Amino acid sequence: MSDLALFIPILLPLLGALLAALYGLPGVNRRLSLRGVCWALAVLPLISFLFLLGRVADVNAAGPQTFRVAWIPSLGVNFSLWLDSLSLLFLLLVSGIGALVVVYSGYYFSAGSEWRFLTYLFLFMTAMSGILLAGDVVTLFLFWEGTSVTSFLLIAYKTSDAAARRGAFKSLFITGGGGVAMLAGLLFTASVAGGLDFATILASGDVLRSSPIYPVMLALVAFGAFTKSAQAPAHIWLPDGMSAPTPASAYLHSATMVKAGIYLMARMNPALGQTELWFWLLTGFGLFTMMLGAFVGLKQRDLKALLAYSTISQLGVMMMLIGDDTSAAFKALVVSVVAHALYKSALFLVVGIIDHETGTRNVYRLGGLRASMPRTMVVATVAALSMAGLPPMFGFLAKETLLASVTHPSMPPVLGSILVGGVLFAAAFLFAQAGTLIWDTFMGKPRDPEVHGHEPPVWMLLMPAVPALLSLTLGLLPEPKALAEFISRAAEAAYGGQVKVSLALWAGITPPLVLSIIAIAGGFVIWLNRGRVIAWQGGFADRFSANRLYDGTLSLLDRTAGLALRTQDGHLRHYLATILIGAGALIVLLGEIPQTASALTFGPPAELPLLRVFALALAAASAAASIILRRDFFAILALSTSGLSIALLMLLQPAPDVALVQVVVDLLSVVVLTLALTIIPREQLMRATLLTYRQSRPELFRDIAIAVGAGFVMTSVSLFSLTSRPRASVVTPYYEAGAKPLTGAADIVGAIVVDFRGFDTLVEITVFAMAGIGMYTLIRYAMHHDAASFATTVRAQLRKGVAQPDAAPAHTVFGIDGMPTSSLIHLLAYVLLPVMMVLGATQVMYGHDQPGDGFTAGVIISLAIAFWYVVFGYQETRRKLRWLKSSLLVGLGLLLQTVNASLTALFTGSFFSHVDYGALVGLPLPKGFNFSSSFIFELAICITVLGGATLILGALGHPTDPPVEG
């Protein structure tokens, strides 16, 4: 069944992110308290939790619930959602613990910029919910990388902290790279299975396992899951991620990002599991990770680091269980997921309280807090007992089911002994970690007299108390039948067969119980002798740390980049020569030149009208003049003449749309190059002139040979392409026949650019905007300090009247104070801008009916603003045109088109499709103008191009000002 309500768990946290961002507005921030906002925002994940809880019975009875909307129909790509018992289990943890974390954040932070944290947190919640609801490979990857990006923002939240920045980069580098590998593996899987949706993939297990590329698929998917769920050696990002605020750490460890890899492998078990390779890969990495996290965690002195390594150990347990193809293992898996989420969220939130109230998390400075924080100690002890696997906690049941899975009769004796030994080793060290956390924090005498604690607010303490008490309640109360059935269904969805789950705490004297007692006894011994054990561990973790592998990888990348940069000497002429020689050599080696020579045919001269001959000759002559002329400004004008001549040729083709764009771009290029001359130091201009006109004879002949050869090759290829291509076009008739009925466009070029190839156009304007931002960054930031001091000297000379125009320094710019302009020019500027804006509006409105488009409109308005810079100066222009916020225009234009394309998908089921909104509501509009998605796209193009172009013009026109863009 297709159920649109499945969007609710995604839309609610997305709404929370929007509301949290609005809280950052000063007017809102001053009127609302942080705690009140957090309580209000926590309602959103709570509603999601209740919604999902209401779906449990339906999913158990009717099976998976789905939703699908076509995304790229030609490639079979959909945006699809899939809700079954397995995803429902994880979603309940994400939303339930998320609500607690949001409320807790209101007490953990003090009012300030915490709206950023809340925004990141809700975006993180959105991405994780999307992973769990994803019904196909592409949707999964979209949200998968979303968690990598948002976790990066959360870890680097304290932007001034170098450790936070390093930890965030390490997290993004490892998990983001793993995500790309995972996508490749899933695409291979989808190709073999015959569909991108999980319903098809999960039903094709036999086909996938018998495929010759099965090892490749499994290795890539597992690599992505291992990096996300911190399996050794990729576990190193998790401890470094502890620089994130504690609410984020609690959420990340207990319910969200680190469980994504576990969820993925559990989801893919019916498709890729049940093989020897699957067993050894997952069991081997899981076993090693389990033991490593437990062993290294004991020596950590930071409480969050201790909890981080215990999380790594438990993630290893879960991955090991997924590798075991038995129902007992998958029963243990789902029980472990729930138990770990409950006690780990409680412990992290308690550690946050300790840090918040005492100012430290270092166990060397803590101790004796039982007197000042008795209620906090009770909550921490209950959660730690569950982590240690002691009865009657739910964590004890998780450990029992784990031991039952490794002692299952189907397990080979030797392998079973290894697994049992590994589990006992990890369980003992986790017990010692839990004991260290409680004893060294709350018991004994205070170690640092400057550390004083006190109880937190009641509501703050209640947030960790809820999951801690749930751990106790689930163990004490009679077996909850409904929960057992739900967990059983979740295990069956991952196992692919029937799984019987019992949550009874007491099952008699069994081998798992005996082994559990042994683990507890061993853990108690380790805890009693923890000082000696830690001393014995010594530098083991440092000597065998995977950080060396990470550092080596980055070093290798740096060395590789260094080798590549050796070919980059900073001289554009060398780059251009390399490109031209390389392109020409490839064409010659591929044999295109001989084919070209034989295919060339020339008609009689009468076939070329006189005007075309003139335009072609003018283009060639002006291009040659741009080389010969020594004055840079004259060379720019010659180059512009060549461009305008090409525009004339395009007009004669006839191609008025392309000619119009060529004209405005040519004019903009003249302005940009002229402004660039004003900020290039005169010495550098002189060196460039000498390099061009005072070359040695061999160098001159070399450059001439390269230029002539490149010109011959490009001319030959162009003529060959024109004379040898088939006359009958398949695409042209389609555009001619479909432009009007499909897009309502009388102008075919406009229909191609905006409707038929809309995504290409969106990419192109994005590139244009990025070029503007890049130039702004390079000029306004990199040159600010040098240019500012120079401009101060220039202004002083102008005020004293000693600077002459001929001696003006190279940094003199248009509109600088002291450069008067006449009132007539002022009047012309005042008239020109509104006229150009009206002309631009006409281009946007009628771009589908007549030649013209949003790009042309944006450049035309930008040229008018450039004239204002010349007439009034930069500062006065910015003062008069307060709406001119270039970076805001760029963002607004791109956002407008993204929303526009999304709306068309709601109307037609396809992005970038054509929708005539005016016709839908019956708007009376002038002839030739349609209020449609195409018009909105043209408007978005105009706004984006205006923002990018004015960024360039503003940076070049007045680079001495400090950066003003937000």
Side-chain angles (χ1 to χ4, degrees), residues 553-590:
T553 302
L554 292 184
S555 177
L556 178 62
L557 289 175
D558 288 340
R559 288 198 297 270
T560 305
L563 291 174
L565 287 175
R566 289 183 181 180
T567 63
Q568 315 258 334
D569 58 1
H571 293 88
L572 292 178
R573 60 192 301 112
H574 295 167
Y575 302 159
L576 182 60
T578 302
I579 293 171
L580 294 175
I581 293 172
L586 287 175
I587 293 173
V588 172
L589 291 175
L590 292 175

Side-chain angles (χ1 to χ4, degrees), residues 286-450:
L287 177 64
F288 180 71
T289 303
M290 173 186 69
M291 298 175 65
L292 178 68
F295 181 72
V296 177
L298 183 64
K299 64 177 293 182
Q300 305 304 314
R301 298 294 89 190
D302 186 303
L303 292 178
K304 284 181 68 174
L306 184 149
L307 292 177
Y309 277 99
S310 70
T311 296
I312 292 172
S313 180
Q314 288 301 303
L315 292 172
V317 168
M318 297 173 197
M319 195 64 72
M320 182 181 70
L321 289 170
I322 297 173
D324 187 5
D325 184 29
T326 63
S327 61
F330 282 86
K331 170 191 173 181
L333 170 67
V334 292
V335 173
S336 296
V337 167
V338 176
H340 178 262
L342 294 177
Y343 72 70
K344 191 53 64 73
S345 61
L347 286 174
F348 263 107
L349 295 179
V350 165
V351 168
I353 289 174
I354 295 171
D355 188 18
H356 188 269
E357 304 304 331
T358 66
T360 182
R361 301 190 306 261
N362 191 332
V363 293
Y364 285 134
R365 300 185 61 199
L366 295 171
L369 294 181
R370 66 184 184 280
S372 58
M373 305 177 69
R375 290 177 295 186
T376 303
M377 185 187 74
V378 171
V379 175
T381 302
V382 172
L385 290 175
S386 188
M387 172 181 165
L390 291 174
M393 308 303 300
F394 196 65
F396 172 75
L397 179 63
K399 185 175 65 174
E400 290 285 286
T401 55
L402 168 62
L403 290 168
S405 69
V406 297
T407 56
H408 195 272
S410 63
M411 187 70 64
V414 176
L415 180 60
S417 300
I418 295 174
L419 294 180
V420 168
V423 170
L424 292 178
F425 176 89
F429 272 91
L430 286 177
F431 179 96
Q433 288 182 31
T436 299
L437 188 152
I438 298 301
W439 187 270
D440 290 357
T441 302
F442 295 100
M443 310 305 288
K445 296 180 179 180
R447 296 177 177 84
D448 189 337
E450 296 183 358

Side-chain angles (χ1 to χ4, degrees), residues 743-744 913-922 925 929-934:
T743 69
S913 56
H914 178 78
V915 177
D916 192 340
Y917 301 111
L920 289 177
V921 298
L925 299 172
F929 170 54
N930 297 315
F931 183 71
S932 62
S933 58
S934 303

Side-chain angles (χ1 to χ4, degrees), residues 259-309:
K259 298 287 179 64
I262 301 300
Y263 170 78
L264 175 63
M265 298 311 289
R267 169 63 69 210
M268 296 299 294
N269 178 64
L272 298 177
Q274 305 171 14
T275 66
E276 290 290 321
L277 180 59
W278 173 276
F279 172 80
W280 288 110
L281 182 66
L282 271 65
T283 302
F285 276 93
L287 177 64
F288 180 71
T289 303
M290 173 186 69
M291 298 175 65
L292 178 68
F295 181 72
V296 177
L298 183 64
K299 64 177 293 182
Q300 305 304 314
R301 298 294 89 190
D302 186 303
L303 292 178
K304 284 181 68 174
L306 184 149
L307 292 177
Y309 277 99

Side-chain angles (χ1 to χ4, degrees), residues 22 67 154 192 245 442 520 624 655 659 856:
L22 291 176
F67 175 81
L154 286 169
V192 174
F442 295 100
I520 293 171
T856 305

